[in-house]
Amino acid sequence: MKHSFPFIALAVFLITHLGIYFFYFKRIIKNPLFLRIARYFLILNYGGSLMYFFGRHYVNMPPALYFLVTLSIGITFILAVATLVYQPLSFIPLFSKTRRAFLQKTIGTMSLAFSGSYLGWGLIEGAMQPQIEKVKILIPNLPQTIRAAQISDLHIGTLMEETKVAKIVQQTNALKSDIIFLTGDIIDANIIKTQKSLEELSKLSAPLGVYFVIGNHEFFHGIGDLLGTLKKLGIQVLENENVVIQKEGVELFNLAGVYDLYGRRVGLEPNLNQALSQRKEELPTILLAHQPKFALEVQEEHKVDLILSGHTHGGQIFPFRFLIPLNQPYIQGLYQHNPQTQIYVNRGTGFWGPQMRVLTRAEITYFELVPLTDKNE
């Protein structure tokens, strides 16, 4: 997967760039010189995409250069959206040739302005500190209220480096949660590149501990070394297992965690039954599973009260959230999965690819897990 994905992605991006040129630029830019410039710009942008998909795995690039090549990914997304928006508008029926020419020129100018604004806003929102999402969830049989924080999809790497990780750690610790959950795709680079960032991550502090489950991206960068380093730094990794969370001698809930679904390709399968085998049935159960799709394997008889996931980024760049249902059943926020089980999907604390977000601000989730009683039912 690691070796084939860049080639598949680049083929898709090549088709996308050709579509942008023939169905957008060529229709709105009539000046031959400007059209030639636009053509060279797309070639250069595609070159940036090529450098990104191969460079992130095989080449060490300076952060400034890496930022520029990731930006090419965001520009491609935005121009693809602009192309799709332009198409139906360009076919508005006007019988007057003069009116048609004026309208097409106006639509072309407005769509280019839209693309520039779209890109600018994406960069601004992508650079913002994560938003604290406060969520109250009722949990049956929970002995007392628990305050928890969830971080997901940090994608620690060249752009998500130690200074940014340090700020997120500080922001999370300021919540003074009882427990912290890391729900996968926290690391997206080789351990050699992420050592300093992981040392900052290890400064996460909660009296009941910091718990981590694997996402799909951790598999791409030497999973054994990554997990070993996390454990040495004091982060507790749940590998198809359950721990009973206790506070001052009182047993509060089962915390189970499974490998990501991608593990089925490499021999580290998520195993729900194994993860639940050591739990205490009288206590509520919280399950950490990176992809929301894993919820489809959680039936009512499993008696899981809450699933915490990430993976989707909420679409990251609007309107790509509307494509998520093609692969995942839940996009972002809280859902009732079945009568027994709720699921919360974090929209990502970091970003994948370009440091851009549009209408999907990065988040750190702050949960107030409250005992379900007759009064609040």
Side-chain angles (χ1 to χ4, degrees):
M1 176 68 177
K2 172 183 173 180
H3 300 289
S4 63
F5 177 72
F7 296 98
I8 296 170
L10 285 171
V12 172
F13 270 65
L14 177 60
I15 293 169
T16 304
H17 277 76
L18 290 172
I20 292 167
Y21 178 73
F22 286 106
F23 295 102
Y24 184 41
F25 280 175
K26 201 167 183 182
R27 292 186 179 183
I28 66 174
I29 301 174
K30 302 304 180 183
N31 184 296
L33 175 61
F34 291 163
L35 184 61
R36 190 179 304 118
I37 292 170
R39 184 163 62 244
Y40 290 150
F41 169 78
L42 284 178
I43 293 170
L44 184 65
N45 193 69
Y46 183 72
S49 303
L50 189 150
M51 289 178 67
Y52 170 76
F53 283 109
F54 285 105
R56 72 190 303 266
H57 290 295
Y58 307 113
V59 180
N60 244 339
M61 283 187 276
L65 177 59
Y66 191 73
F67 173 78
L68 289 175
V69 300
T70 59
L71 193 59
S72 70
I73 306 298
I75 289 171
T76 304
F77 288 163
I78 287 166
L79 289 177
V81 171
T83 302
L84 293 173
V85 170
Y86 172 78
Q87 293 311 303
L89 294 176
S90 66
F91 288 105
I92 294 175
L94 286 173
F95 298 102
S96 165
K97 186 176 181 180
T98 305
R99 286 184 179 180
R100 187 181 302 113
F102 174 76
L103 179 65
Q104 288 181 340
K105 184 177 180 180
T106 301
I107 292 172
T109 302
M110 290 178 64
S111 64
L112 286 174
F114 164 77
S115 299
S117 301
Y118 198 171
L119 175 63
W121 178 252
L123 292 171
I124 291 170
E125 190 170 359
M128 290 179 179
Q129 279 296 109
Q131 180 177 330
I132 304 298
E133 287 288 349
K134 296 185 177 180
V135 182
K136 182 178 179 179
I137 300 179
L138 303 178
I139 305 286
N141 303 318
L142 188 66
Q144 59 184 262
T145 297
I146 301 296
R147 290 167 178 81
Q150 181 191 8
I151 293 174
S152 193
D153 300 271
L154 265 180
H155 291 276
I156 290 173
T158 304
L159 296 182
M160 181 58 73
E161 34 69 47
E162 61 264 28
T163 56
K164 292 176 183 175
V165 175
K167 289 180 180 179
I168 289 170
V169 167
Q170 186 179 34
Q171 193 178 4
T172 305
N173 285 342
L175 297 173
K176 299 189 182 303
S177 304
D178 297 310
I179 190 168
I180 297 173
F181 306 124
L182 306 175
T183 48
D185 280 6
I186 301 300
I187 304 146
D188 200 2
N190 187 277
I191 189 66
I192 297 171
K193 298 180 182 179
T194 59
Q195 189 66 48
K196 291 183 179 179
S197 297
L198 291 179
E199 288 172 5
E200 292 296 334
L201 189 71
S202 71
K203 295 176 184 177
L204 285 169
S205 178
L208 301 184
V210 179
Y211 292 86
F212 167 88
V213 290
I214 297 165
N216 55 306
H217 279 256
E218 274 88 11
F219 283 105
F220 305 154
H221 305 287
I223 186 70
D225 291 338
L226 290 174
L227 294 184
T229 300
L230 287 173
K231 292 172 184 178
K232 288 177 183 177
L233 292 171
I235 294 172
Q236 302 183 62
V237 182
L238 296 175
E239 301 179 75
N240 289 337
E241 59 187 313
N242 177 82
V243 294
V244 176
I245 303 299
Q246 302 183 38
K247 184 178 182 180
E248 297 175 351
V250 178
E251 295 180 335
L252 301 173
F253 59 91
N254 299 295
L255 179 63
V258 292
Y259 290 130
D260 181 66
L261 288 165
Y262 183 83
R264 288 179 173 157
R265 306 184 189 191
V266 294
L268 289 176
E269 290 202 26
N271 189 321
L272 181 60
N273 290 328
Q274 180 182 332
L276 300 179
S277 63
Q278 299 299 316
R279 67 174 170 175
K280 296 201 172 181
E281 295 288 343
E282 68 274 14
L283 296 176
T285 298
I286 297 174
L287 173 67
L288 307 183
H290 176 64
Q291 295 191 46
K293 185 161 57 175
F294 189 77
L296 300 178
E297 302 186 20
V298 180
Q299 307 301 319
E300 191 174 352
E301 56 266 26
H302 287 117
K303 297 181 180 178
V304 171
D305 296 278
L306 176 64
I307 304 170
L308 299 180
S309 296
H311 186 66
T312 66
H313 295 220
Q316 187 164 321
I317 299 175
F318 185 86
F320 290 97
R321 63 170 293 153
F322 297 115
L323 298 179
I324 292 173
L326 298 176
N327 185 253
Q328 301 289 335
Y330 305 115
I331 301 171
Q332 65 178 56
L334 185 65
Y335 302 84
Q336 189 72 45
H337 173 60
N338 63 42
Q340 171 75 36
T341 308
Q342 298 180 80
I343 178 171
Y344 186 86
V345 182
N346 178 296
R347 60 180 178 267
T349 312
F351 51 86
W352 179 84
Q355 188 177 328
M356 293 175 60
R357 282 180 170 270
V358 177
L359 301 181
T360 51
R361 177 86 172 269
E363 77 163 281
I364 297 167
T365 319
Y366 178 73
F367 295 104
E368 187 180 11
L369 305 177
V370 179
L372 176 62
T373 65
D374 293 338
K375 292 181 179 180
N376 57 23
E377 191 169 6

